[in-house]
Amino acid sequence: MKLIAFIITLMVSANSCNKDDNAISNQEQEVKVAYINGAIFTLNPQQVWAEAIIVEGNKIIYVGNTDKALTQISKDTEVIDLKGATVIPGIHDVHMHPLEASSENFKFILKEDNDPENYAPTIRKALRDFPNEEWLLGWGVDLYTLLEAKRSPIDILDDISSTRPIAIMERTSHSIWVNSKALEMAGINNNSKDPSGGIYMKDENGSFNGILMDNAGNLILDLALTPTSQTKANDYNGLVNFALPELAKNGITSICDARTYWKRDHHTTWKQVEKEGKLTARVNLGLWAYPMQNDESQISLLKSLYENDGNSLLKINQIKLYSDGIVHNTTAAMQEEYLIDLFQKPNNNGLNYFTQNRITSYIEQLENIGFDFHIHAIGNRGIKESLNAIETASNGSGRHRITHVEIVTPSDLSRFSQLNVTADCQVAGDFTQPNHWGENAELIGKENSKNLVPIKSLKEANARITLSSDWDVSSINPFVGMQNAVTRFPQNITIEEAVKAYILNGAYVMRQETEVGSIEVGKKADFVVLSQNIFSVDPTKIANTKVDMTVFDGEVIFERK
């Protein structure tokens, strides 16, 4: 659809002032833009559909039909004819990793291959291309490709370089492949004990094989990404030049950064972008709670970073912590033992980054500051422990949520509603779709593999659901997530419910539902014009939707050419 903006010369007479509730009474104010002839899904239950919006500055001052809108405008009003296009409120993505997805600190990406020996040319080229980088960081390896290698993964990297530390992130971000120099730089040796929430994998001889699971890998990256002027510039450039434009292109006007590594100065990068007026989204940062940090000192520091200025686009008002790992790596916290044993540890039912007692303590000490908790929990034990912690610690003021919510004990479904805990679900990734559920059976059994990410069951249990991307683990495109949410029978929801989960419920967890999240008079003008009607199109075609225009805070920040 080609949007046509044209100027209509039309003066408002005193007698034409409309008195209905959808228009402001002061018609002497000069409006800027009127959007007419649209199919506008407002997410306001009092007025579900409308044809026109009038925006003055960054505020919506009229929502209604086109004829009445035309009586409310002046000769200076810009009128945009939507020509029947579908409009929805600005999309919220309350779980994504925009800095990690766009940072220039990672120098190469590995293509999928079933033999890690074949990665050598790409890694060698990166070593040559970036000779001044102390650490060479990459992304894209598959865990099981490494585990099935004919020789130890650490030997493969050591043959490439024994003098420069190399660290390559697994596609899920839950393990790191390193060479011996990286271990040496981190002070890790065969006597090192596994860190909280992590495992140093070893071969049959008890020597490190170069695979660091979960938080063990995070420790390496914290060292490699110790902030310097260059690492911060790389983060800044990626955020401004790639991540923020990608948000606008996809109609996303509000986000939660779901892992703000304060040790890497991620929060200061965000603050710089906001200060410079380059922030084109409403952003809540989820400060990362480091499992290996002393609790007293970490809680004190987290308190000092809290910022919740209602006039700022950027707020630092959430805590992100992990209860467990992921099923794929057998680190998600399960009630039952895994059916395969990758680590030869006394317990084979996953791990905890944070135990239930520690989560309880953090909530008790940080909720009253104003922090909301965003807790990663995938396994049924991790989810139960997280719910237990919230039930024990919360005074009811928090808007806490559990994210991923993959394997839920049926008796825990109703607890989300009872405890006012939002279930933050991601269904954009193929692995969450029913035709892939059986792939988990060899790890957790057939029964536990059923109903992965049970959004319909959660909905029927009256849980508040948000849908989010976990970009860049999964696609940033919200219409992929919406299509999957609608088509993933038997755990599917309606398109109207999916849109609400992506937008209005997202606004709630960001504590901005009175400002945005629906198209209503008095709210901020965040909305998106779509290439097709997602409410009537074949559900299997929803993912084909394009964003024709994104309006943020009253300004057009993206228009498809």
Side-chain angles (χ1 to χ4, degrees):
M1 179 193 72
K2 177 68 176 176
L3 293 171
I4 302 175
F6 59 95
I7 305 297
I8 292 182
T9 303
L10 185 63
M11 299 300 294
V12 179
S13 70
N15 294 330
S16 68
C17 181
N18 188 291
K19 301 295 185 181
D20 72 31
D21 290 338
N22 293 324
I24 63 171
S25 59
N26 183 6
Q27 292 300 322
E28 295 179 358
Q29 292 186 353
E30 183 180 294
V31 297
K32 288 186 175 180
V33 187
Y35 298 82
I36 62 173
N37 297 322
I40 302 166
F41 185 71
T42 69
L43 273 172
N44 173 8
Q46 305 305 314
Q47 184 188 26
V48 178
W49 288 94
E51 295 177 337
I53 307 167
I54 301 178
V55 175
E56 182 174 42
N58 68 347
K59 289 288 186 71
I60 296 170
I61 64 168
Y62 175 85
V63 180
N65 65 46
T66 294
D67 289 343
K68 288 182 180 179
L70 292 176
T71 70
Q72 314 260 338
I73 64 176
S74 73
K75 64 179 181 179
D76 297 318
T77 301
E78 179 184 7
V79 179
I80 295 180
D81 188 354
L82 296 169
K83 295 188 173 182
T86 299
V87 178
I88 60 174
I91 296 168
H92 289 53
D93 191 329
V94 295
H95 182 146
M96 59 158 44
H97 307 281
L99 269 181
E100 294 175 75
S102 60
S103 174
E104 298 171 2
N105 286 315
F106 287 78
K107 300 304 183 184
F108 63 93
I109 297 175
L110 297 179
K111 296 180 179 180
E112 189 170 352
D113 200 299
N114 59 10
D115 186 351
E117 302 281 1
N118 295 332
Y119 294 140
T122 299
I123 302 169
R124 291 184 191 279
K125 182 177 184 302
L127 285 169
R128 294 192 301 270
D129 290 345
F130 303 99
N132 298 322
E133 297 286 334
E134 180 181 19
W135 284 80
L136 182 68
L137 302 180
W139 180 89
V141 72
D142 177 80
L143 172 64
Y144 288 90
T145 297
L146 295 181
L147 294 178
E148 294 166 6
K150 295 179 180 178
R151 59 184 181 134
S152 180
I154 199 169
D155 292 338
I156 296 173
L157 288 185
D158 284 349
D159 282 352
I160 296 171
S161 178
S162 60
T163 59
R164 288 179 65 185
I166 302 171
I168 305 171
M169 182 183 289
E170 181 203 6
R171 293 166 191 235
T172 67
S173 83
H174 279 261
S175 67
I176 302 289
W177 177 27
V178 299
N179 65 352
S180 295
K181 186 63 176 180
L183 295 178
E184 177 190 327
M185 297 278 287
I188 299 170
N189 56 56
N190 283 329
N191 296 319
S192 299
K193 295 182 179 180
D194 289 334
S196 299
I199 296 172
Y200 301 126
M201 287 197 72
K202 297 181 178 180
D203 59 25
E204 60 275 9
N205 298 318
S207 298
F208 286 135
N209 68 1
I211 303 175
L212 309 183
M213 303 299 299
D214 281 87
N215 190 45
N218 289 338
L219 297 177
I220 286 283
L221 289 183
D222 284 334
L223 177 62
L225 295 172
T226 299
T228 65
S229 59
Q230 187 60 58
T231 63
K232 293 169 72 171
N234 289 340
D235 286 341
Y236 174 91
N237 291 333
L239 182 57
V240 170
N241 298 324
F242 178 72
L244 290 174
E246 278 297 298
L247 297 182
K249 177 182 175 182
N250 285 278
I252 298 168
T253 56
S254 292
I255 68 161
C256 295
D257 181 353
R259 197 162 51 197
T260 303
Y261 288 110
W262 48 268
K263 284 188 177 183
R264 304 178 197 173
D265 275 357
H266 281 185
H267 59 302
T268 63
T269 298
W270 280 108
K271 290 174 74 170
Q272 180 183 353
V273 172
E274 198 272 341
K275 183 179 180 180
E276 294 175 355
K278 296 180 180 178
L279 199 54
T280 52
R282 307 180 196 280
V283 181
N284 288 10
L285 302 186
L287 296 172
W288 177 245
Y290 288 84
M292 293 296 287
Q293 286 292 116
N294 171 270
D295 289 341
E296 182 179 356
S297 62
Q298 177 160 235
I299 288 171
S300 177
L301 183 139
L302 293 172
K303 288 179 179 179
S304 73
L305 295 178
Y306 179 79
E307 293 184 11
N308 197 40
D309 181 355
N311 296 317
S312 175
L313 294 175
L314 180 68
K315 297 176 176 64
I316 306 178
N317 59 2
Q318 297 182 358
I319 301 294
K320 176 65 181 294
L321 61 76
Y322 278 17
S323 168
D324 63 358
I326 61 174
V327 173
H328 177 75
N329 292 0
T330 71
T331 54
M334 297 293 297
Q335 304 276 22
E336 307 83 5
E337 297 267 316
Y338 283 92
L339 301 181
I340 67 172
D341 190 350
L342 295 181
F343 312 121
Q344 309 303 312
K345 301 292 182 182
N347 296 315
N348 187 33
N349 64 343
L351 51 74
N352 287 100
Y353 281 63
F354 278 78
T355 63
Q356 177 179 318
N357 287 340
R358 285 185 80 195
I359 297 174
T360 300
S361 175
Y362 273 64
I363 295 174
E364 286 175 342
Q365 297 181 70
L366 292 172
E367 182 185 73
N368 62 352
I369 301 298
F371 281 111
D372 296 321
F373 277 72
H374 187 190
I375 303 173
H376 167 120
I378 285 180
N380 50 20
R381 177 169 63 86
I383 292 168
K384 184 179 293 292
E385 290 172 353
S386 300
L387 289 169
N388 290 348
I390 293 170
E391 182 172 22
T392 300
S394 177
N395 61 23
S397 66
R399 296 190 179 185
H400 309 312
R401 68 195 192 277
I402 298 176
T403 193
H404 299 308
V405 198
E406 291 186 11
I407 305 159
V408 188
T409 301
S411 60
D412 282 333
L413 291 167
S414 61
R415 298 180 70 196
F416 283 85
S417 175
Q418 292 165 5
L419 299 173
N420 191 34
V421 175
T422 299
D424 178 38
C425 304
Q426 297 81 38
V427 296
D430 288 343
F431 73 96
T432 66
Q433 302 316 297
N435 59 316
H436 287 277
W437 290 351
E439 296 169 5
N440 293 308
E442 63 178 344
L443 301 176
I444 56 176
K446 291 183 179 179
E447 192 61 33
N448 280 329
S449 298
K450 296 177 181 177
N451 298 313
L452 196 74
V453 195
I455 55 176
K456 183 175 183 179
S457 298
L458 286 160
K459 180 70 180 178
E460 291 173 344
N462 297 316
R464 180 189 305 102
I465 297 170
T466 53
L467 292 174
S468 54
S469 67
D470 198 13
W471 183 54
D472 60 337
V473 173
S474 297
S475 171
I476 190 177
N477 185 344
F479 305 104
V480 172
M482 290 181 193
Q483 175 173 307
N484 288 351
V486 171
T487 59
R488 62 193 307 272
F489 180 84
Q491 288 296 341
N492 58 315
I493 56 178
T494 68
I495 183 59
E496 290 80 7
E497 290 167 343
V499 171
K500 182 179 180 181
Y502 257 108
I503 300 174
L504 190 56
N505 290 353
Y508 174 86
V509 302
M510 292 183 69
R511 293 185 178 266
Q512 59 184 29
E513 76 278 9
T514 61
E515 297 290 323
V516 292
S518 61
I519 296 173
E520 299 183 51
V521 170
K523 287 195 171 184
K524 303 288 179 63
D526 293 4
F527 53 86
V528 186
V529 182
L530 307 180
S531 65
Q532 63 177 356
N533 189 335
I534 59 176
F535 302 96
S536 61
V537 72
D538 182 334
T540 63
K541 306 298 183 183
I542 294 172
N544 296 336
T545 305
K546 303 294 184 183
V547 170
D548 281 335
M549 178 184 285
T550 302
V551 176
F552 170 70
D553 215 36
E555 299 290 333
V556 175
I557 61 170
F558 172 79
E559 189 167 6
R560 187 161 68 101
K561 304 301 182 184

